[in-house]
Amino acid sequence: IPYMAPEIALGKPYSYEVDVYSFSILLWEIISLEWAFNGFDAKNYFLHVCERNLRPTINRKWPAIVRMIIQEGWDPKPQERPSMKRIRSMLRGGLE
């Protein structure tokens, strides 16, 4: 459940943006070395993540490009999420 974009959980139409959401959650977990939404059952996930747009806390010490990718990638509005192509460009630019 923690990798499922809210629009899927809510039974709304979806597109590739759901993969961007999942990538952003996984990236957060990799960087933080923690589980996203640890301890949430399905009911809490739907209430807090899907309905109230709760997201894990982004550490201000992480590189700016990583913070931006994560924050944009799990935007509550799927159309506001970047494409994976844009994320790739952002990562490449940040690594150079």
Side-chain angles (χ1 to χ4, degrees):
I1 288 179
Y3 311 106
M4 183 186 302
E7 57 269 29
I8 293 177
L10 294 171
K12 294 181 179 180
Y14 62 89
S15 187
Y16 75 89
E17 294 91 351
V18 298
D19 295 330
V20 174
Y21 176 90
S22 299
F23 173 82
S24 298
I25 295 293
L26 284 167
L27 181 58
W28 182 91
E29 288 185 342
I30 291 166
I31 300 295
S32 69
L33 299 174
E34 296 180 27
W35 296 105
F37 313 115
N38 191 23
F40 277 41
D41 60 13
K43 182 179 177 181
N44 281 324
Y45 182 83
F46 286 103
L47 176 64
H48 296 289
V49 178
C50 299
E51 294 180 14
R52 296 183 181 164
N53 298 318
L54 177 74
R55 301 295 186 266
T57 302
I58 297 174
N59 189 322
R60 293 179 187 206
K61 294 179 182 179
W62 295 346
I65 194 71
V66 171
R67 293 192 319 259
M68 185 185 325
I69 290 169
I70 292 171
Q71 191 162 10
E72 288 181 13
W74 64 29
D75 193 289
K77 297 176 186 169
Q79 66 276 11
E80 297 296 323
R81 297 176 194 153
S83 68
M84 288 304 294
K85 188 174 183 176
R86 170 145 166 66
I87 290 172
R88 181 187 68 198
S89 295
M90 292 167 73
L91 283 172
R92 281 188 176 165
L95 294 174
E96 292 177 356

